[in-house]
C-alpha cells in the first residue's frame, strides 16, 4: 500500500524571529528542511513526498537544493496557503491518486525517527489514523473565564505532534468538508475527528525527541553552526622597575615586563588569538604601540574592547587556553586568580578558561630569565541565529 509524506514548510516561523522561514535556516550546517526530508528518506517508508512551500520561499528552496542537494523523495511542490490548514489541503490535492496513506508532517520537526513514522503509518493502515503524541511533562492549568484555575489530570493529556497519518481519501474528505463548512483547526487530527468521530493517538519512546523548532531559543539550544579558532603568541623582555602583570594579576617580582602598555604578555597572546579567530589581524593593528592612548594601559581594558568586537560580530567565546612560559617567578600561587579574571573578561564559565605556566628548563630566553612568552588558543562560536 503506497505511503506518501506531505511536508508542511509554508509557515512564516514568526515565533522564531529569524527574519526568514525558519525551516530554511541551517542548524549545524544543514537546513532544518533538509534534515527533515533526510529523516523521511532514510526511513525507507515512503514512495514520495509533496512539499508545501510558500511561493515567496521557492527561490530560497532552489538555492538550498543547489548547495545541499535535492531530496529524491520530493516528487512535487505545492503552494502554501494563508493558514496551515489551507496549506495541508493544497498539499493533499497534489498527491497522486495512487497514494493510499499520507503522513502529514511539519518540516519544523526534523528529529522525527523511523520508529515514530512506522508506528504512525501502521496505525493509519489498521485504524484510519495514527497521530504522534508526547506525554505531557508539565502540570497543565486551565484558566476559566472567571479566572478560576483548574489543574488537569496529566495522565489523560497528550501533546499532539506530527506525523499525523491517515488514509489519503479520508483526510482529503475531512479537509474538503472543513473547507465547505468553514471549520478552522490547528491540526489534521482535529479535522479527522470531527468528520469521522475518532482518532488514534500514540506515544513512542522517541516522542520527547520529536520536538518542534518554534522559538529562537529552540534554535539556539541546538548549538552553533560556526566555529572559529585562533592562536596567539607574544613575548616581552623582563626589566627592572616595572610591575609584572599577567592575566590582569600583579605578581610580586623584582623584574617586570617591558612594553608600551602594561606588557601583560598573556593577555596580549589571548587578544591576538581572538583577533585571529575573527580574521581581524592582530593587536598591533587595533592598539598601535606608538599611540599615546595605550601608554601604560591595563591590557584587561583592551581585552574588554576586543570582546566588544567579538559580540558585535555575533560570536562568543567557547573556551580559551593560555600557556605562560616563565622560568621565574613561580606562578602557581596566582594561576587560579588569573583564570577567574580571564573567565570573567571572556564571559565564560570558569572551566572554559584555562591558564597554565611552564618553564623551559633553563633553555632559551625564558630559561635565562631575559623575558617571558605566552601562547593562547581560543575557540569562538556563533549561534545558529
Ligand atoms: Mg605584547
Amino acid at each position: 500500500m503506497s505511503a506518501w509524506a506531505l511536508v508542511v514548510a509554508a509557515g512564516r516561523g514568526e515565533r522564531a524571529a529569524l527574519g526568514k522561514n525558519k525551516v530554511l535556516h541551517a542548524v549545524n550546517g544543514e537546513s532544518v528542511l533538509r534534515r527533515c526530508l533526510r529523516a523521511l528518506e532514510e526511513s525507507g517508508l515512503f514512495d514520495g513526498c509533496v512539499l508545501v512551500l510558500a511561493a515567496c520561499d521557492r527561490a530560497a528552496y532552489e538555492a538550498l537544493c543547489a548547495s545541499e542537494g535535492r531530496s529524491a523523495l520530493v516528487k512535487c511542490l505545492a503552494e502554501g496557503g494563508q493558514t496551515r490548514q489551507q496549506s495541508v489541503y493544497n498539499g493533499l490535492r497534489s498527491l497522486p491518486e495512487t497514494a493510499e496513506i499520507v503522513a502529514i508532517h511539519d518540516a519544523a520537526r526534523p528529529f522525527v525517527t523511523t520508529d515514530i513514522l512506522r508506528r504512525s503509518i501502521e496505525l493509519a493502515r489498521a485504524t484510519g489514523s495514527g497521530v504522534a503524541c508526547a506525554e505531557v511533562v508539565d502540570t497543565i492549568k486551565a484558566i476559566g473565564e472567571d479566572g478560576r484555575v483548574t489543574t488537569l489530570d496529566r495522565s489523560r493529556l497528550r501533546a499532539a505532534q506530527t506525523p499525523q497519518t491517515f488514509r489519503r481519501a479520508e483526510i482529503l474528505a475531512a479537509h474538503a468538508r472543513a473547507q465547505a463548512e468553514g471549520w478552522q483547526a490547528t491540526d489534521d487530527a482535529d479535522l479527522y475527528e470531527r468528520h469521522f468521530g475518532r482518532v488514534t493517538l500514540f506515544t513512542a519512546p522517541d516522542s520527547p525527541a520529536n520536538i518542534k523548532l518554534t522559538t529562537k531559543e529552540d534554535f539556539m539550544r541546538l548549538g552553533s553552526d560556526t566555529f572559529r579558532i585562533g592562536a596567539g603568541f607574544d613575548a616581552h623582555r623582563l626589566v627592572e622597575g616595572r610591575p609584572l602583570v599577567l592575566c590582569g594579576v600583579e605578581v610580586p617580582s623584582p623584574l617586570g615586563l617591558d612594553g608600551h602598555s602594561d606588557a601583560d604578555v598573556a593577555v596580549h597572546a589571548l587578544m591576538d588569538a581572538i583577533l585571529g579567530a575573527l580574521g581581524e589581524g592582530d593587536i598591533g593593528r587595533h592598539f598601535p604601540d606608538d599611540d599615546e592612548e595605550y601608554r601604560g594601559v591595563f591590557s584587561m581594558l583592551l581585552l574588554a574592547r576586543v570582546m566588544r568586537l567579538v559580540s558585535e560580530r555575533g560570536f562568543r567565546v567557547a573556551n580559551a587556553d593560555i600557556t605562560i612560559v616563565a622560568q621565574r617567578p613561580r606562578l602557581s600561587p596566582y594561576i587560579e586568580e588569573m583564570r577567574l579574571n580571564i573567565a570573567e573578561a571572556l564571559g565564560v564559565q570558569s572551566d572554559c578558561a584555562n591558564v597554565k605556566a611552564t618553564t623551559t628548563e633553563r633553555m632559551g630566553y625564558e630559561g635565562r630569565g631575559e623575558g617571558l612568552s605566552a601562547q593562547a588558543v581560543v575557540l569562538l562560536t556563533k549561534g545558529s541565529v
Side-chain angles (χ1 to χ4, degrees):
M1 206 150 71
S2 150
W4 277 59
L6 191 167
V7 171
V8 195
R12 297 314 314 148
E14 273 150 9
R15 281 178 288 177
L18 299 172
K20 66 175 174 184
N21 185 342
K22 64 185 175 182
V23 302
L24 302 178
H25 200 84
V27 172
N28 296 328
E30 183 178 36
S31 70
V32 174
L33 176 59
R34 184 75 187 87
R35 169 99 194 227
C36 176
L37 292 172
R38 194 159 58 79
L40 300 177
E41 204 173 326
E42 287 173 2
S43 76
L45 294 166
F46 297 101
D47 299 288
C49 168
V50 169
L51 174 62
V52 188
L53 269 180
C56 61
D57 286 330
R58 283 281 180 107
Y61 171 70
E62 289 302 328
L64 272 186
C65 289
S67 64
E68 299 184 319
R70 191 177 294 274
S71 168
L73 196 62
V74 177
K75 308 289 188 206
C76 167
L77 295 182
E79 192 160 322
Q82 285 298 313
T83 59
R84 183 184 182 282
Q85 185 175 320
Q86 185 65 51
S87 293
V88 172
Y89 190 41
N90 292 352
L92 288 172
R93 286 183 297 169
S94 305
L95 284 165
E97 294 279 322
T98 53
E100 287 161 286
I101 295 289
V102 56
I104 301 169
H105 187 60
D106 289 326
R109 291 188 193 271
F111 308 117
V112 65
T113 62
T114 298
D115 179 56
I116 290 175
L117 292 165
R118 181 179 294 116
R119 286 170 192 248
S120 185
I121 291 170
E122 283 172 1
L123 281 169
R125 283 189 173 136
T127 72
S129 60
V131 175
C133 289
E135 311 262 355
V136 174
V137 291
D138 294 319
T139 296
I140 305 289
K141 310 279 187 186
I143 306 165
E145 281 179 11
D146 59 357
R148 277 179 63 104
V149 173
T150 315
T151 301
L152 303 178
D153 176 3
R154 192 164 58 186
S155 67
R156 299 178 63 81
L157 296 173
R158 295 291 180 272
Q161 304 181 331
T162 66
Q164 300 192 351
T165 305
F166 309 92
R167 296 182 186 123
R168 180 189 62 86
E170 291 183 358
I171 191 66
L172 185 58
H175 266 270
R177 183 169 164 200
Q179 184 83 3
E181 300 187 10
W183 298 345
Q184 286 301 322
T186 55
D187 73 352
D188 304 289
D190 187 12
L191 291 185
Y192 184 89
E193 195 180 7
R194 287 197 220 178
H195 189 59
F196 292 101
R198 195 179 185 113
V199 67
T200 311
L201 309 181
F202 71 97
T203 58
D206 297 333
S207 297
N210 185 25
I211 59 163
K212 186 174 186 181
L213 299 174
T214 306
T215 64
K216 193 169 180 173
E217 287 70 28
D218 292 337
F219 281 81
M220 295 185 80
R221 262 197 293 277
L222 292 174
S224 309
D225 59 0
T226 304
F227 295 97
R228 292 285 191 86
I229 194 164
F233 171 81
D234 195 24
H236 281 260
R237 199 174 283 281
L238 279 168
V239 294
E240 287 182 355
R242 291 267 302 178
L244 177 60
V245 181
L246 293 169
C247 296
V249 177
E250 190 166 338
V251 177
S253 166
L255 303 176
L257 293 172
D258 195 19
H260 183 65
S261 64
D262 65 357
D264 187 332
V265 70
V267 171
H268 291 187
L270 177 62
M271 289 192 286
D272 265 351
I274 296 170
L275 291 169
L278 289 175
E280 281 282 348
D282 59 18
I283 51 174
R285 192 171 112 195
H286 290 263
F287 313 113
D289 64 7
D290 54 2
D291 189 329
E292 279 306 308
E293 186 189 347
Y294 305 120
R295 178 172 296 281
V297 71
F298 188 45
S299 294
M300 292 296 281
L301 295 177
L302 303 182
L303 178 58
R305 290 205 203 170
V306 170
M307 286 308 296
R308 270 208 297 280
L309 201 59
V310 170
S311 66
E312 278 165 21
R313 293 277 301 275
F315 284 91
R316 62 185 176 78
V317 172
N319 75 306
D321 186 19
I322 299 172
T323 305
I324 303 170
V325 184
Q327 195 65 45
R328 69 179 91 82
R330 233 169 70 81
L331 298 177
S332 58
Y334 309 98
I335 289 288
E336 187 59 16
E337 189 183 347
M338 293 182 194
R339 179 162 102 114
L340 295 176
N341 251 3
I342 295 297
E344 188 182 348
L346 299 182
V348 298
Q349 303 229 326
S350 60
D351 67 347
C352 296
N354 192 66
V355 179
K356 54 197 189 292
T358 184
T359 71
T360 59
E361 303 198 329
R362 306 195 177 281
M363 296 181 288
Y365 60 87
E366 301 101 328
R368 292 190 295 273
E370 294 167 18
L372 298 191
S373 68
Q375 300 178 28
V377 178
V378 68
L379 185 69
L380 303 185
T381 72
K382 187 179 220 167
S384 58
V385 288

